[in-house]
Amino acid sequence: MDLRVLAELKEYLTVKQHTPGRLKVKVDLNIRNHPKLPELQNAAKDGSAVIKKTNLNIFTQTLTVEYDSSLLPYEGLQELLTSNDADRVAELAAGLMENVTA
């Protein structure tokens, strides 16, 4: 999963529950029209060892992401999801991606 996509779609997502290895977010229905939605839906299919499983349920408006917290640190992802500073979010996404692909 490219975390820059998650950062780009952040305005449509509200964290409901986040524990190391499992993230559950409420999804704004307006995300349906975003061209990056398929990348988010298919994040587990991109061959990355980081994302184990994704499940987008448009009816309950939730996205669940199961990830390897040893490769993607909980604290970094949590800050990316909760920061309101667009520059910091972009910096975090790029930094986390470097660590994941290194």
Side-chain angles (χ1 to χ4, degrees):
M1 168 188 255
D2 188 335
L3 295 176
R4 292 169 289 218
V5 171
L6 190 62
E8 186 175 332
L9 297 175
K10 185 177 178 286
E11 68 184 89
Y12 299 99
L13 308 173
T14 304
V15 177
K16 289 303 200 184
Q17 182 181 21
H18 187 202
T19 57
R22 189 168 193 272
L23 169 66
K24 187 171 187 174
V25 294
K26 186 80 170 170
V27 180
D28 184 314
L29 285 177
N30 291 323
I31 200 171
R32 291 178 299 177
N33 301 319
H34 199 286
K36 298 272 182 159
L37 178 61
E39 290 181 51
L40 192 61
Q41 287 176 297
N42 299 316
K45 298 176 185 171
D46 71 359
S48 170
V50 177
I51 305 301
K52 298 176 181 180
K53 181 179 175 183
T54 58
N55 182 28
L56 177 65
N57 186 327
I58 208 69
F59 298 108
T60 61
Q61 297 175 281
T62 57
L63 169 70
T64 304
V65 178
E66 293 181 18
Y67 65 94
D68 186 337
S69 60
S70 67
L71 299 173
L72 180 60
Y74 166 83
E75 294 81 8
L77 182 57
Q78 182 67 19
E79 185 179 354
L80 182 144
L81 294 165
T82 57
S83 177
N84 291 321
D85 180 343
D87 292 333
R88 180 65 180 147
V89 169
E91 178 185 313
L92 283 165
L96 289 169
M97 284 305 298
E98 283 179 23
N99 291 340
V100 167
T101 57

